[in-house]
Amino acid sequence: MGKSKEKPTGPGTPGHSSVNGSYFLPCPLFAGASDGAGVVVTGGGLGGIEYGGANVLEAHAVGFDPEFSWNTFAQIDEGKSQATYISYSPELGAFVAAEQELAASHTCKILVVDGAAK
């Protein structure tokens, strides 16, 4: 009989709070920014599907009352591109993400995140 293909779950594994209150995401993050009002946009991944996992831009609603919460409400699959920088512009009310595909030039995306998703 072969080895179990079940992924581990529970404290200390991706997507779960650990015993000491740390939170683990399912992939490495390369960039992130907050609007200061509970929305965080992150960019990360595993290099693309052919390298083990998608590169994504994600929007999360983050809360601290009464307990910490981190809820992903939007995701864009970036293919082979990875976010290298994300910033929030209060003047635009939008996030700006710089991305780079492996050995290629940078591109820029402007992301408007609907605050109603909080």
Side-chain angles (χ1 to χ4, degrees):
M1 189 169 257
K3 291 184 179 179
S4 172
K5 300 242 183 208
E6 289 183 37
K7 292 184 178 182
T9 59
T13 59
H16 294 84
S17 294
S18 73
V19 175
N20 67 1
S22 296
Y23 188 82
F24 296 88
L25 296 174
C27 64
L29 292 183
F30 300 106
S34 172
D35 67 355
V39 173
V40 174
V41 172
T42 59
L46 296 171
I49 297 299
E50 61 275 12
Y51 295 105
N55 293 321
V56 294
L57 281 172
E58 294 181 322
H60 315 275
V62 179
F64 296 96
D65 189 24
E67 294 180 359
F68 177 75
S69 63
W70 179 281
N71 300 304
T72 302
F73 63 86
Q75 183 181 75
I76 301 171
D77 185 332
E78 294 297 298
K80 292 182 180 180
S81 294
Q82 289 184 336
T84 56
Y85 179 81
I86 300 173
S87 182
Y88 179 74
S89 169
E91 294 84 13
L92 295 175
F95 290 86
V96 178
E99 299 181 334
Q100 183 174 13
E101 190 168 327
L102 299 173
S105 62
H106 276 83
T107 58
C108 184
K109 289 187 176 176
I110 297 177
L111 310 165
V112 178
V113 178
D114 183 1
K118 290 187 219 175

